[in-house]
Every structure is written in structure tokens, then in C-alpha cells.
Amino acid sequence: MRIFFSLFFFITVVFGADATIEVVKKVDSLPTIGVEDSSVSYDDVFKTRFFKALVSDLNVLSLFNVDRHNYITHYDESRVVVENKDKDYVLRYKLYEGDNQALTVDMKIIKNSNVVMNKSYKIQNSKLSVFVSHAIAYDVNKFMGAEPVDWMKKKILLARLVSPQQSEIVISDYTLAFSQKIVSGGLNVFPKWANKEQTAFYYTSLSGKKPSLKKVDIKTAKVENILSSDGMIVCSDVSLDSKKLLVTMAPEGQPDIYMYDVDTKKTTRLTTYSGIDVNGQFMKDNKIAFVSNRLGYPNIFSKVIGEKGVEQLVYYGKSNSSCSAHNEYIVYKSRESNDNFSDNTFNLHLISTETDFIRRLTATGMNEFPRFSQDGDAILFIKNYMEQSSIGIIRLKFNKNYLFPLSYGKIQSIDW
Amino acid sequence: MGKFNQLIGNHKFNMYIFAIFRYNGAYFIKKGCVMKNIILSSAAVAVLFFAGCSSNKPVVDETNKDSASTQFTQPVEEVAPVQDQGMSDSTVKSDSNEMTMANLENSMLSVYFDFDKYVIRQDMKSSVTKDADMAKADASAYSIKLEGNCDEWGSDEYNFALGLKRAQAVKTELVNEGVDAKRISMVSYGKSAPVCNEKTKECWQKNRRVDFKLLP
């Protein structure tokens, strides 16, 4: 018996935190939550939009079975609505116009007829109401003692193709409910946040004589030319301290991965293969992961910076053409079918460099451009399916995917 | 300081609106908040920025009923961006020169490639030879920009690199045919410059190509 418990404990400790192991069924055990709207100001469209945003955020937390019905009640009513009386939790909120016409939201959580949490939010511009919804969800998550969902507060950068050789760079929230064009005119692609505070970003401009990498400081409005190269130039990754960039460029027409030092402005070539080496990603232990066609098809490799040897990381899939790394985990895009152009073409997979498991993360459509959140809790990706371009969020620990469609255009690239 | 501040960042965002306009062949940015002109080398941006401007007032408040009120800032503001019109590589040229260059450009033949390949096919070699002949004769006064393109399968860096390798393959062939390498520049547009948008194999085939652009 002792051996059995020791073995059980060992397996739990060793494999419990491995994200490549899939959580198959956990839904039945989730607590239920109902949402009650007590708003007094604003029109029905606005109120409905806020309700939907909040329900969606609560759903993405993956902590509750969320009742999607919109129940109306008074904010100070001591009892919950009849339909919610058996719920584990009830979230009640009230939208109203506060001082200086600011959108004000009072919120409380009721459990067993007791208010267990309450808070108030205020925002001057009601168009930004979705950020209040994210703030409520973030606080509810914290109240429930779940692992932080810092990515929910991150702003998303995306490049949207609107017509041939025309794109826009947009800042939005993670659900695309709010979005703001930042760069438009010409072909500007591959935006990448320059630091974790999200005060500046890099992007590739293809409108000049040579492709160039630019940096925009969104606080000082300064646009800085960083590098330029014949053929192509892309900022693939930024180190955690924001001091080093992995850049794909081709000064001699040969796409290779370079490291750029932000302080010294020195560039060091990291790969020298005569084919394609792109998409460098910082890993731990002074390593990078990258995409190369050195086996005759695109696949994921790694190497130690400054050393010559290259290690193949992925042994599955015929065409693995993009990747994102977080510590020992790599998420990559893989062409599933032998038919180059069948419907179910590209899926995302997760591997760990420390185990042999492979976990498929998506099932239908064309899924690409995976990006780990900084804490590794979630993966952001682009999904194109039936002419609809969406961004997706994968919550690895909960085995859940969420999609947020783009209103127009096609997403070229994303970052958060 | 509360969670909302953490949630949307600690920055006080007010607004600058930048209009980009052209004057005497140079591009300028006009800042809506404080007037300031900045010459842009490539004039690629029409930008809305958030930075400290006239007001230091925060715009978002979060009040925790259990504690003193806290102030927060807003991340972004809704304003229509300014469209940039001046996006071409061209400098000032005479009309007749432009006509000649456009005609020559139109008569140069695009080079097509197989799926996920950047080797010039046998049936494309004659096109490259004709292009090389034109580059050495009628178009000898111009620089050549090779634009590599891919089909719609993938918007990642690999696809851009594939477009570039296609352009490089054509460049190598042109140089072998006697065209001066210094006249040739390259750019890859990945899948972002399709000539055909239908969902057919024929259409995708048309998009896997290298185009020729002439520059003065």
C-alpha cells in the first residue's frame, strides 16, 4: 500500500505540471455562476454588449460553468433571481453614469446569500468598457485563488491585411472587442512588443526601398529606424529584459537568424545554413529554437547561441513552419494532411524538450502563428476557417480554446 | 494601487494625432497636440499615439469601496487614423520616362514556382532568359527590384523567406546571364500581394511567383 501511494505521489509530482498532458474532462466539477444585470443608465445595445463581454471573460477563466442568460434585478435586492438560487456564485453588476459622465460599474459576488466580494470601477470613455469587463474577470479570478491571468490585461498587436500590399497595425484587447489602428498606409507587418510593459513595439516596413525594421515608442511618439536588409527583415523575438532581439534578415539575400543588441546596436549572425533559417525564439540555457528547411522541409530545431551544433526538436509532421517557445515548451504549426490543399490543413502542437509527449491543440481549419503568453499559461494564435479570420486563445491547463473573429481583413501576424 | 492599473498598464495615455503630408517632395508629420514637423524617410506611418499631452488627468478611475479611491489611465482612445498617401518608391520623373519604364516593366515575364519550392523550373528558364536579355538591353538604364511572392498557405516568416529565396534564385540566374548584380535588389511580400484570390490550385499557382519592378 505504501508503495502504491509513493508511486501515485511520484507520478502526480512528476507529470502533474506537464502541459503536454491533456486534461480530458473537468467540466462537471466546475462551480456554477449566474450573472445579474442591475444597470440603470445606457441603452440596451450597450448593456447587452457589456453583459456578453463579461460572460465571455468569465467563460475564458475556465473556473465556472457560466449561465449565459441575462437576468435583470435590482442591485440592492437581497435575494438572487429565482433561476440563480441554486448557483454556487452570482455576479451582480450595475452600469451607471457617474461623476463627469464617467461609466461606473459596481460589482459584487454573492455566495449563499452573502456578499463575498464587491468592487467599483470607473472609466471616462465608455468605448473602453470592455477593459472594465476584463478587469472584473481578472479580479474574480484572483478572488477565486486561481493562477494569475496576466495575459488578460495585455494589449494585442496585430497586422491586418486589408488589400494587396496594404495592411494596418492595430492595438486591441484580447477579444478584439476594442481595436485601434496605430499604423496604416503601405505594407507594415510582423509587429512585436519591444518590452513587457508594452510601451513600444517593432515592426517591419516593406514600403521603402529596402525592408526595414522600425521601432515606435507609443509614449513619446518617436519612430526609430533600427535595421534594414535586402529581401526581408523581421523581429522574431525580444528577450525578457528587452535588451536583445532575434531578427531574421538577409543582407546578402540569404535569410538567417541574427541577434541584435539594443544597447550596442551590434548584430551577430547566429545561423549560416544556405537554405532557410527563420523564426528565432529565445529558450532557457542560452538556446534558441528556430524554423529551418535543412532536412528539405520546414521543421523546428534548436541550437546553443555561439555554438555550431543544431538539434532537431520535432519528429512529427511534414511541414512545421512556425514556432513559439516558453522555457522547455515549444508550440508549433504543422501541416496535417498529405494533400497540400485539403480543408483540415494546419494544426498547432505542443511538445516539451524534457518529455516525448506531443499534444495536438487545435482540430479544424488553418491554425498558425502561435505565441506563448509571458507566463506560459496561454497561447495566442491565428485561425482562418471558412473565409473568417479570428484570433484564438488556448488555455493549456484547462484544455480549452476560445475564438474571437475579426470584423474585416485577414490577420497576418500577432503579438501580446 | 489597484488591479485595473496593472491590468491596462501604468501609463497615462492621452492623445497625439499625426497627419502625414507631403511638401516639396519630403514627408512631414503634423502633431495634433503640439505642432512639430518631423521628416520621415519612408513615410510609412499614419499614427495615433498615446502620450502625455495637455491634460495630466487620468481618465479611468477604479474605486474600491473598501479602500480609498484609486485613479487609473486608459489604454487607447478611439480616433480615426490618418491615411498615408505617399507610399511609392518613385521619385520625381518625367511622364515619358515613366511611360517607357512602365511599358518595359509590363513586358517582363513573371517567374512561377512549385509549392514550397524555390528552384527555377525547366519551363520557366526561357522566361528568365528573356528577362535577362531585356535587362541588358532596353531596360539597361534602370535598376531591377525582384518581388518574391507566395500562395495563401501561411503568413509566417517561413513564407516570407520562401518568397525571398525565389527572388534570390531569379537573381542568381540573371547574374549568370550577365546582368550586373549591383542593379538588382529584392523584397519578399509573402502572401500579402496576391494577383488571384480564388480558392483553386491554378490561382495559388499564379501567386507563387517573382515579379519584376524597374526603378530609375
Side-chain angles (χ1 to χ4, degrees):
Chain A
M1 200 59 165
R2 194 189 299 168
I3 294 171
F4 173 76
F5 277 114
S6 305
L7 197 62
F8 179 76
F9 179 74
F10 175 76
I11 291 170
T12 310
V13 169
V14 172
F15 297 106
D18 187 349
T20 56
I21 295 175
E22 190 170 330
V23 180
V24 178
K25 195 173 184 187
K26 214 178 172 181
V27 178
D28 290 344
S29 60
L30 294 179
T32 52
I33 190 168
V35 181
E36 297 179 353
D37 183 356
S38 310
S39 301
V40 288
S41 312
Y42 303 102
D43 59 35
D44 286 347
V45 174
F46 186 87
K47 285 192 281 193
T48 306
R49 197 180 298 145
F50 187 86
F51 173 80
K52 283 186 173 170
L54 187 55
V55 165
S56 166
D57 279 337
L58 292 173
N59 223 16
V60 173
L61 290 181
S62 308
L63 298 174
F64 305 102
N65 276 329
V66 186
D67 185 341
R68 292 176 173 275
H69 284 93
N70 189 349
Y71 301 111
I72 310 290
T73 188
H74 290 290
Y75 193 71
D76 296 325
E77 172 63 52
S78 58
R79 283 171 301 182
V80 300
V81 300
V82 174
E83 291 86 346
N84 282 338
K85 69 181 171 51
D86 294 328
K87 297 276 188 335
D88 295 311
Y89 295 93
V90 170
L91 191 161
R92 187 182 291 167
Y93 69 89
K94 178 171 76 171
L95 306 178
Y96 61 100
E97 232 174 49
D99 301 337
N100 301 322
Q101 297 181 318
L103 165 64
T104 311
V105 187
D106 290 348
M107 177 277 279
K108 58 186 169 190
I109 293 180
I110 302 163
K111 187 182 183 190
N112 299 331
S113 306
N114 298 317
V115 175
V116 290
M117 175 195 174
N118 70 53
K119 202 161 181 181
S120 187
Y121 305 81
K122 193 181 278 184
I123 192 163
Q124 193 61 46
N125 184 348
S126 60
K127 285 176 181 167
L128 302 173
S129 62
V130 68
F131 286 98
V132 179
S133 168
H134 300 340
I136 291 174
Y138 180 80
D139 288 341
V140 168
N141 183 72
K142 198 168 183 185
F143 168 74
M144 295 295 291
E147 287 188 43
V149 283
D150 286 6
W151 50 266
M152 230 180 208
K153 66 190 175 188
K154 291 284 180 190
K155 292 174 286 250
I156 305 268
L157 263 178
L158 62 93
R160 166 165 61 193
L161 296 172
V162 289
S163 59
Q165 293 193 37
Q166 290 289 321
S167 68
E168 302 163 343
I169 292 178
V170 172
I171 289 182
S172 85
D173 71 305
Y174 82 96
T175 66
L176 299 181
F178 175 85
S179 65
Q180 173 64 60
K181 283 180 218 172
I182 295 295
V183 183
S184 68
L187 186 55
N188 304 294
V189 289
F190 295 112
K192 180 87 193 157
W193 287 113
N195 51 40
K196 54 179 184 277
E197 294 79 27
Q198 301 191 319
T199 57
F201 66 90
Y202 299 99
Y203 73 95
T204 300
S205 168
L206 293 173
S207 304
K209 280 198 169 177
K210 269 188 179 182
S212 58
L213 185 69
K214 299 188 176 193
K215 184 181 183 183
V216 180
D217 186 321
I218 59 176
K219 291 175 89 178
T220 62
K222 197 173 140 200
V223 182
E224 190 184 346
N225 282 310
I226 304 294
L227 288 167
S228 69
S229 165
D230 200 21
M232 72 179 287
I233 187 162
V234 178
C235 175
S236 313
D237 202 9
V238 178
S239 64
L240 277 178
D241 62 4
S242 317
K243 300 279 188 193
K244 299 257 192 318
L245 312 183
L246 288 176
V247 179
T248 299
M249 59 180 187
E252 306 298 325
Q254 170 55 43
D256 272 311
I257 297 164
Y258 293 74
M259 189 157 69
Y260 175 78
D261 188 306
V262 174
D263 292 334
T264 64
K265 300 189 189 306
K266 265 182 68 177
T267 308
T268 316
R269 189 173 177 181
L270 300 184
T271 62
T272 52
Y273 172 61
S274 61
I276 294 174
D277 286 335
V278 291
N279 196 181
Q281 297 281 295
F282 286 109
M283 297 172 74
K284 60 181 186 180
D285 303 330
N286 199 34
K287 278 185 176 177
I288 60 164
F290 62 101
V291 173
S292 172
N293 70 341
R294 55 191 67 211
L295 293 178
Y297 61 92
N299 202 4
I300 317 298
F301 296 84
S302 75
K303 74 175 290 180
V304 177
I305 293 172
E307 292 183 12
K308 279 196 167 176
V310 168
E311 184 189 355
Q312 184 177 346
L313 289 181
V314 175
Y315 292 88
Y316 171 83
K318 288 193 165 49
S319 173
N320 307 320
S321 60
S322 74
C323 70
S324 174
H326 179 263
N327 294 335
E328 72 269 29
Y329 294 108
I330 312 276
V331 56
Y332 65 93
K333 163 193 168 190
S334 177
R335 195 177 80 215
E336 289 284 358
S337 122
N338 288 328
D339 179 356
N340 295 338
F341 305 116
S342 70
D343 286 338
N344 181 17
T345 312
F346 295 99
N347 276 315
L348 301 182
H349 295 74
L350 180 72
I351 59 159
S352 163
T353 53
E354 293 172 3
T355 68
D356 291 332
F357 291 108
I358 300 174
R359 180 171 151 195
R360 193 168 87 162
L361 301 174
T362 57
T364 55
M366 186 173 169
N367 305 283
E368 59 179 339
F369 224 91
R371 285 284 173 268
F372 267 111
S373 62
Q374 262 175 1
D375 55 7
D377 175 77
I379 293 168
L380 183 77
F381 68 102
I382 301 172
K383 187 183 193 87
N384 286 305
Y385 186 58
M386 309 284 273
E387 291 301 294
Q388 175 70 58
S389 200
S390 309
I391 65 168
I393 303 268
I394 300 170
R395 304 264 347 245
L396 289 172
K397 288 180 184 131
F398 299 97
N399 195 27
K400 287 196 167 184
N401 294 9
Y402 303 92
L403 288 177
F404 303 97
L406 188 72
S407 56
Y408 69 91
K410 287 220 161 187
I411 303 172
Q412 184 273 329
S413 56
I414 44 176
D415 192 42
W416 67 350
Chain B
M1 288 293 281
K3 292 136 198 161
F4 198 84
N5 204 5
Q6 296 163 11
L7 190 85
I8 58 176
N10 287 310
H11 323 298
K12 290 180 181 175
F13 294 125
N14 291 315
M15 283 193 307
Y16 285 138
I17 300 166
F18 289 79
I20 292 181
F21 59 92
R22 194 174 178 184
Y23 180 68
N24 279 350
Y27 291 96
F28 293 86
I29 286 185
K30 184 176 179 182
K31 196 151 61 171
C33 203
V34 183
M35 289 293 291
K36 191 175 176 184
N37 292 333
I38 304 165
I39 298 176
L40 273 188
S41 58
S42 73
V45 262
V47 194
L48 158 82
F49 292 108
F50 353 96
C53 187
S54 58
S55 166
N56 290 322
K57 262 190 179 176
V59 228
V60 180
D61 279 352
E62 178 189 56
T63 313
N64 190 328
K65 286 193 167 167
D66 299 329
S67 63
S69 70
T70 327
Q71 293 189 314
F72 300 96
T73 55
Q74 71 183 55
V76 248
E77 195 52 90
E78 184 87 18
V79 170
V82 184
Q83 282 293 328
D84 174 30
Q85 299 299 324
M87 296 311 307
S88 86
D89 286 329
S90 58
T91 51
V92 183
K93 299 178 288 260
S94 75
D95 285 351
S96 61
N97 265 353
E98 250 176 30
M99 286 285 287
T100 316
M101 200 167 77
N103 287 339
L104 281 169
E105 199 172 272
N106 288 337
S107 53
M108 296 189 93
L109 303 170
S110 294
V111 183
Y112 297 95
F113 290 82
D114 285 338
F115 177 77
D116 203 16
K117 294 282 186 293
Y118 49 84
V119 176
I120 295 176
R121 296 190 323 230
Q122 280 302 323
D123 63 328
M124 285 290 126
K125 298 227 165 171
S126 61
S127 299
V128 183
T129 305
K130 283 177 193 163
D131 289 328
D133 290 344
M134 201 176 292
K136 286 183 288 184
D138 299 344
S140 60
Y142 303 107
S143 296
I144 299 160
K145 189 178 191 180
L146 298 173
E147 299 178 341
N149 295 279
C150 299
D151 58 36
E152 66 176 50
W153 298 95
S155 65
D156 34 53
E157 287 182 41
Y158 181 81
N159 225 26
F160 273 75
L162 196 59
L164 172 59
K165 291 294 278 184
R166 286 172 179 164
Q168 194 192 27
V170 174
K171 178 179 174 179
T172 306
E173 204 68 20
L174 290 178
V175 172
N176 289 344
E177 298 266 359
V179 181
D180 184 357
K182 286 181 191 152
R183 286 175 58 202
I184 305 172
S185 64
M186 295 179 288
V187 66
S188 175
Y189 290 133
K191 69 169 187 182
S192 53
V195 289
C196 183
N197 285 312
E198 290 160 30
K199 304 281 171 198
T200 61
K201 288 188 180 183
E202 293 70 30
C203 186
W204 293 320
Q205 167 67 73
K206 286 180 191 166
N207 290 333
R208 296 191 294 265
R209 71 193 192 282
V210 170
D211 290 334
F212 287 75
K213 286 278 173 315
L214 295 179
L215 304 174

